[in-house]
Amino acid sequence: MADYWLEAPPVLQEFLNYHESILSHSSKTVDEYFLDLRAFFRYLKQRRDPALAQTPIQEISILDVDLDFVSKTHLSEIYGFLTQLTNGAQDGKKAEPSTRARKCAAIRSFFDYLCLHAHQLENNPTQALNNPKLRKTLPRYLSLSESLKLLESVSGPNEERDYCILTLFLNCGLRVGELVGLNVQDIREDTMRVLGKGSKERQLYLNEACLEALSAYLAVRTEPKDELRHRDALFVSRNKTRLTTRAVENIVHKAVTQAGLDPKYSPHKLRHTAATLMLNNGVDVRTLQDVLGHENLGTTQIYTHISDANRKMAVDANPLAHVKKQED
């Protein structure tokens, strides 16, 4: 149980527990739900109780919030909360549209839980709730020539490992958390088992470039510590422990800098790069959705299972599929 649960009333604890234990959401996601809903409940208490009008919002306890309290929530109060965030009334900082949209989603999820899953409420005030309009920005990604330049820039004492990491990012579109979670036994012939968000597994086919990079790396891989969380790790640090997400981010940053590219390119932008390269080379959106492990590719698009043959075609369609490490 997280420490913050001591600050959460039972009605909120039950919701958080549902997301953590039933939906298998990450601790980070559950943390964000708590913080967003705590801010909303504090707003409601201050709005409804004139005695709290002069109390700093951060000092308002939500421990007394119960089902009766939340059942009185009106749509106008939710919009009032979002307006307050827009104006920066809570902490002096105006919330970005993406922040307001996240809080909006947390509130909707909370009331959906009470109405549809816990069956504790009949009326859902979020049924007619509109999400804040987001500015549409295209994700940044590397061009094909920049991707090749990045791979060619890899050098140093862990050259085979770092090259393999970049190759998997650019060809398979992995999330950084998925990459650090890989174990040696997840690689089976020309396939790779990936554990994605919500502990959902998917199988990816490994193209020629990935297999070549993995073979070169495994030949020199450091044997990790014989501890449960390290001993099966595919990617190992010099301390013989499983690489952390921070370590992988540093590896990517180093390679990007050595290649003379924008240092803002992160592992997630390499994921965008892989997706873009596949789309530009004939992979349909639904197949890409399956390869990337997206539950929803768009706000209304339903997850579609694609055949093994199509998934193999997707990674093979990546123009980096046949790029091999050049020997000095």
Side-chain angles (χ1 to χ4, degrees):
M1 180 178 291
D3 293 339
Y4 63 69
W5 283 30
L6 298 175
E7 303 176 45
V11 68
L12 180 52
Q13 287 185 17
E14 293 168 6
F15 168 74
L16 298 175
N17 184 57
Y18 171 76
H19 276 270
E20 185 174 58
S21 60
I22 304 301
L23 299 185
S24 298
H25 284 168
S26 68
S27 58
K28 181 180 179 181
T29 298
V30 178
D31 288 349
E32 290 177 345
Y33 275 132
F34 166 74
L35 294 173
D36 290 341
L37 290 167
R38 182 181 66 177
F40 178 56
F41 293 150
R42 283 172 168 173
Y43 165 81
L44 290 180
K45 288 191 65 176
Q46 193 173 58
R47 174 188 173 104
R48 296 176 185 179
D49 186 355
L52 295 175
Q54 302 305 316
T55 303
I57 197 76
Q58 295 81 2
E59 297 179 11
I60 297 178
S61 170
I62 63 168
L63 284 173
D64 57 344
V65 169
D66 56 16
L67 187 63
D68 180 63
F69 179 88
V70 298
S71 69
K72 297 175 181 176
T73 303
H74 296 288
L75 181 59
S76 60
E77 291 180 308
I78 300 175
Y79 282 132
F81 172 63
L82 297 175
T83 299
Q84 188 184 74
L85 293 173
T86 303
N87 297 331
Q90 279 210 341
D91 55 9
K93 298 179 181 179
K94 294 183 179 181
E96 293 292 326
S98 59
T99 300
R100 300 199 304 273
R102 191 195 70 224
K103 294 184 186 296
C104 194
I107 295 169
R108 178 181 282 108
S109 181
F110 176 69
F111 282 102
D112 282 349
Y113 164 76
L114 291 177
C115 295
L116 303 177
H117 301 287
H119 302 292
Q120 294 176 325
L121 287 183
E122 291 186 5
N123 298 318
N124 188 339
T126 67
Q127 279 187 329
L129 178 62
N130 294 318
N131 286 326
K133 187 175 182 179
L134 297 176
R135 292 190 296 270
K136 293 184 178 180
T137 57
L138 294 175
R140 298 188 64 185
Y141 58 89
L142 296 171
S143 65
L144 176 57
S145 61
E146 288 173 330
S147 299
L148 293 170
K149 190 176 181 181
L150 178 64
L151 290 171
E152 292 168 357
S153 73
V154 180
S155 61
N158 298 299
E159 184 173 340
E160 292 84 3
R161 182 198 66 188
D162 297 351
Y163 182 87
C164 185
I165 287 172
L166 293 173
T167 299
L168 291 181
F169 275 140
L170 290 169
N171 283 272
C172 302
L174 297 178
R175 300 179 177 95
V176 64
E178 294 171 345
L179 182 129
V180 300
L182 287 173
N183 292 323
V184 173
Q185 57 266 35
D186 291 329
I187 309 300
R188 298 180 181 178
E189 297 181 352
D190 65 343
T191 64
M192 178 170 63
R193 170 186 170 273
V194 178
L195 191 63
K197 285 187 175 181
S199 298
K200 292 181 179 179
E201 294 184 15
R202 68 184 188 277
Q203 179 177 271
L204 296 180
Y205 281 91
L206 298 170
N207 57 35
E208 184 180 350
C210 293
L211 291 172
E212 188 86 15
L214 279 165
S215 178
Y217 165 60
L218 289 173
V220 298
R221 171 178 169 269
T222 301
E223 192 65 29
K225 290 181 178 180
D226 190 23
E227 296 177 18
L228 184 60
R229 67 192 183 97
H230 300 303
R231 65 187 178 200
D232 296 323
L234 176 60
F235 293 109
V236 185
S237 72
R238 63 183 178 183
N239 296 321
K240 299 184 178 182
T241 59
R242 182 184 295 273
L243 280 184
T244 63
T245 56
R246 175 59 66 185
V248 172
E249 288 167 354
N250 290 337
I251 288 169
V252 172
H253 179 75
K254 176 186 174 183
V256 166
T257 303
Q258 287 179 333
L261 302 171
D262 189 336
K264 291 184 179 180
Y265 281 108
S266 62
H268 198 68
K269 289 181 175 60
L270 299 189
R271 176 172 160 87
H272 288 319
T273 299
T276 303
L277 291 173
M278 282 187 256
L279 279 174
N280 289 345
N281 284 271
V283 177
D284 66 87
V285 175
R286 289 187 175 181
T287 300
L288 184 62
Q289 179 182 357
D290 198 30
V291 171
L292 296 179
H294 284 160
E295 187 167 349
N296 294 290
L297 191 57
T299 55
T300 59
Q301 191 170 9
I302 299 174
Y303 175 82
T304 304
H305 178 73
I306 305 299
S307 69
D308 286 352
N310 280 348
R311 281 186 292 179
K312 188 175 190 303
M313 179 186 69
V315 291
D316 284 340
N318 191 315
L320 296 172
H322 307 290
V323 174
K324 297 181 180 180
K325 178 65 177 173
Q326 298 298 314
E327 299 296 336
D328 294 331

